[in-house]
Every structure is written in C-alpha cells, then in structure tokens.
C-alpha cells in the first residue's frame, strides 16, 4: 500500500488546511474502503496532539481539515485501517508558512 499526503492550498499554511491522503494498493488501484485518521503536532515542547478522521472523497483520496496553529514544521501521522489487515502508520513532515 502506498500513501501520499498533499495539502490544499498546495503550500501548507499556518491555520486551516485540507489534508489529502491518497491510498493506493500494491497493484496501483485506489483503496476506497479504508478508515483513515490523522494525528498532528509540532515537534516542540508543550504542543498538543490534534486528531481528525478523514472521509473518502473519490479515487482513494481521503480528506480532512487540519488546523496548524502556527507557522513551522508539523509532524503528521496518518493511520490507515482496512478490514482484516494490519494497521498502517506513516509519518510525514509539513512546513506551514506564515
Ligand atoms: Cu509550535
């Protein structure tokens, strides 16, 4: 399974962004029946962990809003669950611009 992350706007900004999580299986087909959630925080002391569930929009793309409260580097953990399969967790770094 391959997981890719992008944001809307394309240049991640401080404040509200839409996270787009694309899930593709081994044969390159979009995975449309996964349960996808995200957790995000900054790698600095005292920052809380935020959580959100993503909803499938189309073609294996899952979307959720993420509110990056300040500019800087955010660590986003994406959790993908599929029935009868081991949960997959992958970490991504996104830099939010002012
Ligand atoms: Cu911070």
């Amino acid at each position: 399974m391959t997981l890719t992350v992008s944001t809307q706007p394309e240049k991640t900004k401080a404040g509200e962004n839409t996270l787009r999580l694309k899930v593709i299986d081994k044969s390159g087909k979009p995975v449309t029946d996964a349960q996808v959630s995200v957790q995000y925080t900054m790698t600095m002391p005292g920052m809380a962990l935020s959580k959100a569930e993503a909803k499938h929009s189309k073609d294996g793309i899952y979307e959720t809003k993420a509110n990056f409260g300040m500019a800087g580097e955010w660590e986003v953990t994406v959790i993908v669950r599929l029935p009868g399969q081991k949960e997959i967790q992958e970490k991504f770094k996104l830099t939010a611009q002012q």
Side-chain angles (χ1 to χ4, degrees), residues 56-67:
H56 185 243
S57 79
K58 61 169 170 125
D59 302 332
I61 297 169
Y62 298 77
E63 291 188 342
T64 184
K65 304 268 189 213
N67 189 17

Side-chain angles (χ1 to χ4, degrees), residues 29-96:
K29 275 209 224 138
V31 176
T32 58
D33 60 345
Q35 199 191 324
V36 179
S37 61
V38 296
Q39 300 185 352
Y40 55 96
T41 188
M42 283 185 114
T43 51
M44 72 197 286
M47 296 287 294
L49 186 68
S50 299
K51 297 179 185 186
E53 285 298 316
K55 286 210 177 92
H56 185 243
S57 79
K58 61 169 170 125
D59 302 332
I61 297 169
Y62 298 77
E63 291 188 342
T64 184
K65 304 268 189 213
N67 189 17
F68 297 139
M70 63 171 83
E73 191 176 78
W74 289 78
E75 190 176 80
V76 179
T77 304
V78 182
I79 301 138
V80 179
R81 293 184 190 90
L82 274 164
Q85 285 189 41
K86 222 175 119 188
E87 169 183 303
I88 291 166
Q89 278 202 23
E90 210 169 313
K91 280 188 180 167
F92 298 87
K93 300 234 162 146
L94 293 173
T95 302

